[in-house]
Amino acid sequence: MSSNKTFYITTPIYYVNDVPHVGSSSTTIAADVVARFKRLQGRKLLFATGTDENAIKVAEAAQERGQTAQQFVDSIVPTWIETWKRLNITYDDFVRTTESRHRKVTEAVFRKLTEQGDIYKDVYKGWYCVSDETFFRESEVVGGLCPNAECRKPVRWVEEENYFFRLSAYADRLLQHIEEHPDFLGPEFRKNEVVSFIKAGLRDSCITRAAYGWGIPVPDDPEKVIYVWFDALLNYLTVAGYLSDDEKLAEVWPPGVQLMGKDIFVRFHSTLWPAMLMALGLPLPEKLFGHGFWTTEGEKMSKSKGNVFSPVTVAEDLARISGAEFDVAVDAIRYFLMREVTFGLDGDFSMGGLAGRFNADLANDLGNLLNRTLPLLHRYRNGIVPKPDASDPEVKVLESLVTSTADEVADYMDRLQFSEALGAIWTLVGAANRFIEHQAPWKLAKDESCAARLDAVLYAALETVRATAILIQPFMPSVSEIIWGQLGIEEPAAKQTWTDAGTWGKLKPGTQTREPKPIFPRIDMRTITQPPQKEEQVEQISFDEFKKMELRVGTVKSADRVPGADKLLQLTVDLGTEERPVVAGIAQWYSPEDLVGRQIVVVTNLAPATIRGVESRGMLLAADVNGTAVLLQPDKEVPTGSGVR
Ligand code: ME8
């Protein structure tokens, strides 16, 4: 693919009767992250989202409120648009399936496929779930309930003459395309689900319903409306200018990435959608990616379960409890959703988890780096960027890390591995923090003969901050802009490119930086109310039993990932009298660099165990905050090996 081509990225179009929540926001935020990254790389972008409005459930919800369906959708769409605005989503097009541009495309496609024999009329008999807007086979439905485990609502028996799309005719071509294009479907494990689904046998798809006063009527047969999924998938063509703007279509088609949740990945986006495109003679998207679900305490977030978090309310709450600006809180949510789990897997969302990451990653790691650079520059050099000196070997290490991080992050971004991309950026942040710690500019400032060295150290730290500000831009655009503003760089943040992020030495000596202000005030975790814990029968132990347990404070000497185990770290812990290997399941929340030098609490007389082939002689203690581990450490530094009573 030539890089002059516009990169077209889409989210699903959301059912308008639902409210935007953290789950739906996660897809839109992921798309925004990719879009911003591609723009930084100099790509032209078409980023589209929108609303799916022709569903039966929309008509029913409107009826319940005594509104027409059109009044109902018109009253709700602004909430979606407003939410995306507040989350800083930079979409280029917002498509509504009730727009005439979309109706025209849908009607034209229906006509074309009918003329070429891909759509035919027959009698449909089967079950229909209104909530999922999905037809099910007789064999799939047990007890009259929707077979989708997340839904389980009563299904309706439907028996009527309808139009069918010849999906079965495309099974072999679909399988061949999947095999020949290894990057077409992701993540890998979901690709396998698609292949099994197709191999199990594809039936032709019923794509119309008896008219119910809402939806797009079948051309020349107004007794019927087009099935909402058939119409919804075509939104991606409407946006691309299909049948209305050939030049635009040539420029943007096929999409570079289409994102969606796992619920609509297999059956609709990886099967029906590509088959429709094949029938239309259009190239297939380069990548379809089905990500996991966000749950709240293990349950899928959904309006019907009453456990949805509105992203705007969460940002307001986070801003209130932390004292951060609203846009910074929004960035913290964007960061959390992209960092917490590998994109593709399920994750659990909670205020405690969000606040924990806010403190650990933003206030501590990134916040520390910022608090130790600009304020020191103001203290020692009146806020003016000094001259660099690249001859220092430690500066050289930082320099090459900046360059390699930009490449590494770009690589992860191309593979939609957002969490890993952020992990790499945070490795750089950690290295810069250690560099400052080690160089101790506060000591250099006391010795006149170290003036040149102090300049070099301050320059290197600031230059890393500049690069970091660009690297985090796709994820945290407002934070990036605030940092940029504080650096006082003349060229606007918006003009920066990914190449600038990976090029050392772009910060001009002599630049007058601005008065720094902390961006991430720490959250007092006591202000976070833990959701009620499930009642558990806790067995009591005697004091003698408790005494059997030996707890000591250890200092982490080294930490490494356990190869092949995403969740495990292997630590060497100094206990004063000896060093012990300890394996801990905390790799999701702590990187090895975060741990070295830290004091932790260890259970030292636990029987040794071998975990994934690695010996472990002890266990560290951590608070369990909604499934997120937060390490326990002494209130102040204590002699290594101190007992814990
Ligand atoms: O299915 N976790 O719309 P929809 C993560 N209109 N993502 C979630 C989520 C959760 N808990 N809940 C929703 C439809 N999503 C159709 C789409 S496209 C041509 C038509 C996200 O409002 C996720 O991307 O039910 C999921 O696929 C989408 O919202 C479903 O949105």
Side-chain angles (χ1 to χ4, degrees), residues 12-15 21 23 27 52 229 232 236 261 263-264 291-294:
I13 48 169
Y14 303 100
Y15 285 129
H21 52 69
T27 320
D52 190 353
W229 262 105
Y236 304 129
D263 54 335
I264 56 176
H291 64 72
F293 271 141
W294 285 97

Side-chain angles (χ1 to χ4, degrees), residues 4 16 23 64 66 91 132 134 379 403 405 429 532 551 558 579 611:
N4 290 330
V16 77
E64 277 167 28
Y91 61 75
D132 277 3
T134 305
R379 197 170 309 151
T403 318
T405 302
V429 168
L551 297 169
S558 72
E579 288 190 357
I611 304 169

